[in-house]
Amino acid sequence: MSQAFDAPINRRQLLLASAAGLAWGLAGCSNAGQTSVPDLSFTQLDGSQHRFSDLKGKVALINFWATSCSTCVKEMPQIVATHERYKAQGLETVAVAMQYDPPAYVMQFAQSRQLPFRVAMDHSGEIANAFGPVQLTPTTFVVDKQGQVVKRYIGEPDFAALHTLIEKLLAA
């Protein structure tokens, strides 16, 4: 038997290696498989009701996030910049706060950072569940004008690649 099999297993190293493998497997982006955006209603922070089907005819960025997620907080200025860069061309952005995020925290975050796009609360978890389910934040979906999800990013997107995709979808 080789020495590697005789060595005692260091549980901490095994757990760290497993976590690193999971993170590597989930990081980056994936094609979402051309699925339609669920036709659900959502409530914005101002209390107004909307439906995801209202986004049809526009390219949309749907970002699931939480105020307790450090990557979400870090990427938010780039989400804002992306929205500002493409909104005149028809990009719609919806930031969906996760069910576990306290509404007061979400409101304070959105107001203090003057988020220029729709911010919705997923009070019941129904929206996150219908989109996958979404279990990790941030998770961002790129939706074409026909209401089809064309890309899903888990974690912070490569913003240069995201911008190239948005430009291609806006031109279509």
Side-chain angles (χ1 to χ4, degrees):
M1 205 177 258
S2 74
Q3 191 173 13
F5 291 107
D6 292 336
I9 296 174
N10 181 326
R11 292 178 61 81
R12 184 172 183 271
Q13 286 177 328
L14 182 61
L15 287 171
L16 288 172
S18 297
L22 177 62
W24 180 81
L26 294 174
C29 60
S30 65
N31 289 328
Q34 291 291 328
T35 59
S36 295
V37 169
D39 187 22
L40 297 172
S41 64
F42 61 91
T43 305
Q44 287 186 206
L45 292 180
D46 65 7
S48 62
Q49 291 283 318
H50 302 275
R51 297 194 70 77
F52 284 103
S53 59
D54 298 341
L55 302 174
K56 202 164 191 174
K58 298 186 177 209
V59 175
L61 199 62
I62 302 170
N63 176 256
F64 287 83
W65 68 290
T67 59
S68 59
C69 163
S70 60
T71 304
C72 300
V73 172
K74 177 184 174 285
E75 79 170 3
M76 196 58 77
Q78 292 179 81
I79 298 284
V80 169
T82 299
H83 173 79
E84 293 292 344
R85 181 174 177 175
Y86 297 108
K87 71 179 180 182
Q89 297 171 52
L91 178 70
E92 287 287 334
T93 305
V94 181
V96 181
M98 297 296 283
Q99 176 184 9
Y100 54 81
D101 213 352
Y105 290 14
V106 175
M107 290 188 78
Q108 194 278 333
F109 185 95
Q111 289 171 352
S112 68
R113 287 159 178 85
Q114 300 176 353
L115 298 182
F117 41 74
R118 300 173 193 224
V119 179
M121 293 293 309
D122 187 5
H123 294 290
S124 67
E126 177 185 21
I127 299 169
N129 195 42
F131 271 84
V134 172
Q135 296 176 323
L136 300 171
T137 56
T139 296
T140 304
F141 295 88
V142 181
V143 181
D144 68 14
K145 293 176 184 176
Q146 291 73 44
Q148 300 295 306
V149 174
V150 296
K151 189 69 99 173
R152 178 186 62 200
Y153 293 92
I154 299 173
E156 186 174 349
D158 171 345
F159 279 92
L162 175 62
H163 292 172
T164 299
L165 177 59
I166 289 170
E167 289 166 8
K168 177 182 160 195
L169 294 172
L170 287 169

